[in-house]
């Protein structure tokens, strides 16, 4: 079994920054894709950043240039640095990892962390 634990959410003023972390623990052979999603009230969950095992990253236009995803493979951790935050970034943020264990791949989700951007 694999557990993902997120941290770093909170309340921030527009224009501010936050850094989210998501650490995986348990029976892990390797972690392939790591990504971050968010879900605002009344909206569908959307992907905001992805990083592959090779370090390639991708972002939607809504966060490109403001959000940066990174990973520390030694710590089985993924980060999301969020700068120039806007009120429309307010949402619950979830990390997801595709983990290989026992010769098979599974996806796991974090518990979610609230990010609120407001003055």
């Amino acid at each position: 079994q694999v557990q993902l634990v997120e941290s770093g959410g909170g309340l921030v003023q527009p224009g501010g920054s936050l850094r989210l972390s998501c650490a995986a623990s348990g029976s892990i052979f390797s972690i392939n894709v790591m990504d971050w999603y968010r879900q605002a009230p009344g909206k569908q969950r959307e992907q905001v950043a992805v990083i592959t095992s090779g370090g390639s990253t991708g972002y939607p236009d809504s966060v490109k240039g403001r959000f940066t995803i990174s990973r520390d493979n030694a710590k089985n951790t993924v980060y999301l640095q969020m700068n120039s935050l806007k009120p429309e970034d307010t949402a619950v943020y979830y990390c997801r990892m595709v983990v290989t264990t026992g010769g098979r791949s599974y996806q796991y989700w974090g518990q979610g962390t609230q990010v609120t951007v407001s003055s």
Side-chain angles (χ1 to χ4, degrees), residues 58-98:
Y59 309 90
D61 289 343
S62 58
V63 308
K64 194 173 295 182
R66 300 188 297 120
F67 289 12
T68 302
I69 189 171
S70 61
R71 61 190 286 168
D72 184 334
N73 292 326
K75 296 181 179 180
N76 292 329
T77 299
V78 62
Y79 305 97
L80 184 67
Q81 178 66 43
M82 303 184 293
N83 299 328
S84 302
L85 283 162
K86 305 175 181 180
E88 51 263 43
D89 294 319
T90 296
V92 178
Y93 284 71
Y94 299 90
C95 62
R96 185 188 73 115
M97 297 187 188
V98 178

Side-chain angles (χ1 to χ4, degrees), residues 22-118:
C22 174
S25 62
S27 180
I28 298 170
F29 176 74
S30 65
I31 303 177
N32 305 312
V33 172
M34 297 179 172
D35 46 17
W36 288 92
Y37 289 75
R38 68 185 180 188
Q39 187 165 21
K43 294 189 177 181
Q44 289 188 332
R45 188 174 295 190
E46 63 170 342
Q47 186 187 60
V48 295
V50 58
I51 186 166
T52 68
S53 57
S56 297
T57 60
Y59 309 90
D61 289 343
S62 58
V63 308
K64 194 173 295 182
R66 300 188 297 120
F67 289 12
T68 302
I69 189 171
S70 61
R71 61 190 286 168
D72 184 334
N73 292 326
K75 296 181 179 180
N76 292 329
T77 299
V78 62
Y79 305 97
L80 184 67
Q81 178 66 43
M82 303 184 293
N83 299 328
S84 302
L85 283 162
K86 305 175 181 180
E88 51 263 43
D89 294 319
T90 296
V92 178
Y93 284 71
Y94 299 90
C95 62
R96 185 188 73 115
M97 297 187 188
V98 178
V99 177
T100 298
T101 182
R104 301 184 65 179
S105 293
Y106 305 87
Q107 68 171 356
Y108 295 93
W109 290 87
Q111 80 279 11
T113 186
Q114 177 70 45
V115 171
T116 302
V117 185
S118 175

